Amino acid sequence: MKKIKYILLLVLVSQTFVFTSCDSDFEEVNTNPNDPSSVPADLLLAGIIRGTANILQSSFNGGETGSCWVQHLGKTIYNGNEYYIPRQSSIDGVWETLYSVVAKDAAIMEGLANLQGNNNLEGVALVLKANAFHNLTDIYGNIPLTEALLGDTGNITPIYDDSQTVVYPAILAMLDNAISLLDGTGTIDAGQDIMYGGNWGLWKKYASSLKFKVLMRAQSGGYDATAELNALMNSNNLFSSNSDEAKLVYLSAEPNANPFFEALVNGGRTTEWSMGEELVELMKAKNDPRLAVYAQEVGGDGSGGGYVGKPAGIRDIGNSIFGDSGNISLIGTKYLEAEQPYYFMTYAHLSLLMAEAAEKGLITGSAATYFNQGIAASISANGVTGSPNVSYVSGSTGITQIAEQIWIALYMQGFEAWSEWRRTGIPVLPLAQDAIVTSIPSRYSYPLTQQSLNNENYTSAVANQGADKLTTSLWWQN
């Protein structure tokens, strides 16, 4: 019955079909209106991919919170986010989009593909749905999952599920199912698949690599991931080069250009953003060639002014030297291009996670080899040559080196950089100068709509997880 509702909902939302009450030629006009073979299950795919990328890459979301909270970026004006006053619209918008636009449409596509026997597309839908819930739980903590997406059945007050015992296992199960389904059966419309052009094998690699990342995050919270990590290593289904990685390459003009290009370049706000001091100084200390791509020289590239980052969270920024964009480095021009991709997951990130897993004895192989592989992948993706001045040293030093390189490699991947920094606690970052809370935020608070429209379950979630504050730690957090 639920599958039929998926079809009906798609019909209502897309208005693809027009129904008539005319009696003449009824059979010819209305032949099988609910036949799943007549409903293009691919129809939602591009919107799900773009919806995910746009909300997480938004300068207000991944930029002002994720990238600023991990001190990759700073702002020279309107910088309340830096001392930990996030926009309420960001808190509400990320929740609403990942549920209503991404996870809901992915579930509809999953149901339609299942009815059509299209294993490949069903697998893709599960990967995108799993990624949506993964982001939701890592941003907010306990979230609705088992009773989520059931508004069309009348359930508009879903319970919140425990992130550790329910949500993460459910995400892993979705990915396992996706990996199994992605077997070459069925088709993926290349025109709708704006990430992989219909290549089911690459979707399988993304599903497997995403599972590796989810397992490493769960492992940090005490989950025994050893057997599953080794199974993935032996599957031959993980990313093996930069060409495998999951990314959306944006187009050259609005409304399908990179959100940073649209907001900063087209919006005339490039000088309102700067590099963070912690990132610049660490990269300078390691003579990292990526710095020349990540950042502009003070006064513009070619000025000879070198690279200067801004300390985090100066409330009276206008009366500081850092309030003048001419004194600090701005975001590198490559990362402000219209076609700069949004990365769902990179080969560099996977390789560095493999290095961590090897160093911890969770998988076999050389941690140093994976470490150097990850740096090389990131260097190549940034179009530079050489390598930072870092030589891998096994043990606790190696764990620190890996976490630092993950932090560096995730530049401009705001929410992911924030999640990995919360997981490792490396590098040690100073509290914002004028912080209004006692630590760098651990999570988003819940949307105000949850307090008003789903108060009973919201209250229960807070009782189970801890106060609905930015500083309440998540279960896998360092």
Side-chain angles (χ1 to χ4, degrees), residues 13 30 54 82 98 103 154 287 333 408 428 448 472:
V13 171
N30 294 280
N54 286 351
E82 274 192 57
L98 289 180
N287 195 27
T333 56
I408 292 170
V428 176
L448 294 177
T472 296

Side-chain angles (χ1 to χ4, degrees), residues 103-118:
K104 181 64 176 179
D105 284 358
I108 294 170
M109 188 169 73
E110 175 194 355
L112 293 170
N114 177 271
L115 285 175
Q116 295 171 6
N118 190 338

Side-chain angles (χ1 to χ4, degrees), residues 185-460:
T185 303
T187 60
I188 306 168
D189 187 313
Q192 292 292 324
D193 184 0
I194 56 177
M195 188 150 76
Y196 282 134
N199 188 322
W200 66 268
L202 291 177
W203 277 104
K204 188 163 190 159
K205 286 191 172 189
Y206 173 41
S208 301
S209 301
L210 176 57
K211 183 183 177 184
F212 197 102
K213 183 186 77 169
V214 173
L215 286 169
M216 287 301 292
R217 203 156 291 169
Q219 187 273 334
S220 293
Y223 181 82
D224 184 1
T226 305
E228 291 172 271
L229 289 170
N230 279 283
L232 287 169
M233 292 295 295
N234 294 327
S235 70
N236 200 34
N237 285 326
L238 295 169
F239 294 156
S240 58
S241 71
N242 282 351
S243 61
D244 292 338
E245 60 194 6
K247 64 186 180 184
L248 169 63
V249 178
Y250 281 101
L251 303 182
S252 60
E254 293 193 54
N256 295 319
N258 185 290
F260 269 82
F261 169 82
E262 294 184 1
L264 276 61
V265 178
N266 279 3
R269 295 185 169 184
T270 56
T271 59
E272 294 181 9
W273 291 73
S274 71
M275 296 297 295
E277 182 178 62
E278 293 297 314
L279 180 61
V280 169
E281 292 306 309
L282 181 60
M283 295 183 79
K284 284 166 64 175
K286 297 184 182 301
N287 195 27
D288 195 316
R290 289 169 291 186
L291 180 56
V293 182
Y294 284 11
Q296 298 179 48
E297 288 186 289
V298 175
D301 287 336
S303 69
Y307 300 98
V308 176
K310 186 183 76 64
I314 303 170
R315 184 184 289 267
D316 190 13
I317 189 68
N319 289 321
S320 160
I321 62 169
F322 300 106
D324 182 347
S325 62
N327 296 327
I328 48 181
S329 293
L330 306 183
I331 297 171
T333 56
K334 167 182 166 57
Y335 284 90
L336 296 177
E337 292 174 354
E339 297 177 46
Q340 174 64 19
Y342 167 77
Y343 291 95
F344 285 72
M345 187 172 178
T346 66
Y347 176 54
H349 190 187
L350 173 66
S351 297
L352 291 166
L353 289 174
M354 289 163 62
E356 180 184 344
E359 186 60 55
K360 290 179 175 179
L362 302 172
I363 61 172
T364 58
S366 166
T369 298
Y370 296 136
F371 177 78
N372 292 327
Q373 175 180 288
I375 293 176
S378 180
I379 292 286
S380 176
N382 281 282
V384 293
T385 57
S387 62
N389 183 20
V390 54
S391 181
Y392 189 78
V393 179
S394 186
S396 60
T397 299
I399 292 295
T400 298
Q401 290 176 316
I402 293 165
E404 284 179 345
Q405 288 301 319
I406 290 174
W407 182 71
I408 292 170
L410 290 174
Y411 176 65
M412 294 298 280
Q413 299 173 50
F415 281 119
E416 195 60 44
W418 178 43
S419 290
E420 284 289 46
W421 180 81
R422 286 177 290 154
R423 182 178 72 87
T424 68
I426 300 170
V428 176
L429 297 175
L431 191 65
Q433 179 173 303
D434 293 311
I436 65 165
V437 293
T438 56
S439 63
I440 295 172
S442 301
R443 59 183 289 272
Y444 269 5
S445 55
Y446 291 120
L448 294 177
T449 53
Q450 288 299 295
Q451 299 179 41
S452 59
L453 302 178
N454 194 15
N455 185 261
E456 181 178 351
N457 291 316
Y458 160 82
T459 301
S460 178

Side-chain angles (χ1 to χ4, degrees), residues 110-194:
E110 175 194 355
L112 293 170
N114 177 271
L115 285 175
Q116 295 171 6
N118 190 338
N119 287 3
N120 285 336
L121 192 60
E122 185 179 356
V124 168
L126 278 164
V127 176
L128 293 168
K129 186 168 73 169
N131 184 61
F133 282 120
H134 179 48
N135 277 283
L136 281 163
T137 192
D138 286 358
I139 292 170
Y140 297 92
N142 292 351
I143 58 167
L145 188 147
T146 56
E147 291 187 2
L149 315 180
L150 299 177
D152 54 312
T153 70
N155 185 351
I156 59 172
T157 55
I159 63 169
Y160 283 66
D161 295 300
D162 182 78
S163 178
Q164 181 174 9
T165 61
V166 179
V167 178
Y168 256 67
I171 292 167
L172 290 170
M174 289 179 208
L175 292 172
D176 283 338
N177 194 9
I179 292 166
S180 185
L181 283 164
L182 288 160
D183 62 358
T185 303
T187 60
I188 306 168
D189 187 313
Q192 292 292 324
D193 184 0
I194 56 177

Side-chain angles (χ1 to χ4, degrees), residues 1-10 12-13 104 107-108 147-156:
M1 197 61 175
K2 286 182 181 178
K3 292 174 181 175
I4 297 301
K5 287 178 178 176
Y6 286 140
I7 298 168
L8 294 176
L9 182 58
L10 180 59
L12 290 171
V13 171
K104 181 64 176 179
I108 294 170
E147 291 187 2
L149 315 180
L150 299 177
D152 54 312
T153 70
N155 185 351
I156 59 172

